[in-house]
Amino acid sequence: MTAQQPLTYDAFVGLAAADPAVVGLVLKGSQAHDGMVNPYSDHDLYVVVADDSPTDLTRFAGHRSAQLDLVVVTLTEFRGAGTPGWERYALARAQIVLDRLDGGIARILADKARLGVDEAFKDASGWLDAYANSLYRSVKNHRDGQTLAARLDAADSIRFLLELLFALDRRPRPYNKYLEWELARHPLPGWDTGALLRAVDRIATTADVSQQRHVFALVETAAREAGHGTVLDAWGDDLDLMRPQEADSDTPDTP
């Protein structure tokens, strides 16, 4: 398109649909999340072309504008996109615009939305240890009067906590922007969504020690049930500092 006529989403979809080399079109981002579109939302589109199939659409690779971002990949490249990687959640919740593989594009996306058993177990173990580390540092810093350090470590712990909880459910963690959207439609089993979000907010903003310890108690139970007891036991007596104490004030919200 010319500078006077920028490339639009609808125009490009028309071009791609007419090209036999294109086997799939996949829309991700806000446009693929019902209710998340705003005046600033563009269209983020994967263009999947058959391996070794020439296409003139490669000239649009890397196209970025306020209306349209394009990623042009081969089918082989698309199979590996985001696994592992930051892009995995975006593809897990993407919408199919075109699938010329008799459901093949849909199956690829479904695989990205579900972590393998071994993959999820390994990831959860790592995130659990990282979560415990940040939580321990936060509580210890609070005890020692290091207020800023306690808050920074508490904020760090939230990232690891969310990665852990979604890994335990064999799902990629959503971007922060889509956390509430994801949990409203696909709650984490065994967790009260509203209470969890309130706890996350409170911990990230105030480093409330009672709330941190209360959430850890729930995480410890879930992690042990999932077979991650050895990760926790490696912390030895340090676990006592992370667990609820009689001196903790108020009864925290229960996720």
Side-chain angles (χ1 to χ4, degrees):
M1 300 296 170
T2 66
Q4 291 74 32
Q5 295 179 310
L7 183 63
T8 66
Y9 170 75
D10 289 337
F12 182 81
V13 168
L15 287 174
D19 189 331
V22 176
V23 296
L25 295 173
V26 175
L27 182 67
K28 65 185 184 72
S30 297
Q31 296 285 353
H33 288 71
D34 182 50
M36 292 296 292
V37 176
N38 63 55
Y40 305 102
S41 298
D42 61 359
H43 288 79
D44 295 289
L45 191 68
Y46 264 85
V47 185
V48 186
V49 298
D51 295 337
D52 301 320
S53 293
T55 172
D56 189 45
L57 293 182
T58 55
R59 73 185 190 275
F60 293 112
H63 173 89
R64 292 181 62 87
S65 71
Q67 295 79 34
L68 179 64
D69 290 352
L70 298 175
V71 179
V72 182
V73 294
T74 66
L75 179 59
T76 296
E77 291 170 334
F78 184 67
R79 290 185 190 279
T83 50
W86 180 249
E87 192 78 345
R88 185 163 188 169
Y89 175 76
L91 291 169
R93 294 298 178 211
Q95 291 184 3
I96 297 172
V97 179
L98 177 68
D99 186 346
R100 286 197 172 116
L101 299 179
D102 296 325
I105 298 296
R107 288 190 291 274
I108 292 172
L109 293 181
D111 287 343
K112 296 180 189 299
R114 192 73 171 159
L115 277 62
V117 173
D118 292 342
E119 175 189 16
F121 189 87
K122 179 180 178 181
D123 287 354
S125 292
W127 294 126
L128 174 60
D129 196 46
Y131 165 61
N133 187 287
S134 289
L135 168 64
Y136 177 74
R137 290 176 181 275
S138 177
V139 175
K140 187 172 65 171
N141 283 325
H142 180 272
R143 179 199 64 190
D144 297 342
Q146 300 290 334
T147 303
L148 176 59
R151 288 182 177 176
L152 292 174
D153 285 323
D156 285 345
S157 78
I158 292 303
R159 174 201 168 197
F160 304 130
L161 169 65
L162 293 173
E163 294 279 8
L164 167 63
L165 296 184
F166 280 95
L168 288 174
D169 197 35
R170 294 178 55 194
R171 291 155 59 185
R173 175 197 162 182
Y175 306 150
N176 294 332
K177 176 179 181 179
Y178 302 121
L179 178 62
E180 293 178 271
W181 185 97
E182 178 75 15
L183 290 178
R185 291 159 178 78
H186 309 281
L188 289 165
W191 293 84
D192 179 284
T193 293
L196 176 60
L197 290 173
R198 289 191 293 273
V200 164
D201 183 31
R202 186 171 182 181
I203 292 170
T205 56
T206 70
D208 182 281
V209 171
S210 295
Q211 186 74 76
Q212 290 195 73
R213 284 171 168 160
H214 180 69
V215 171
F216 178 74
L218 299 176
V219 170
E220 181 174 7
T221 298
R224 289 188 183 280
E225 289 177 351
H228 299 287
T230 55
V231 175
L232 292 164
D233 292 339
W235 281 87
D237 292 341
D238 289 336
L239 286 173
D240 293 337
L241 192 63
M242 308 181 210
R243 290 167 172 157
Q245 310 287 310
E246 289 185 10
D248 288 343
S249 61
D250 302 325
T251 302
D253 201 1
T254 303

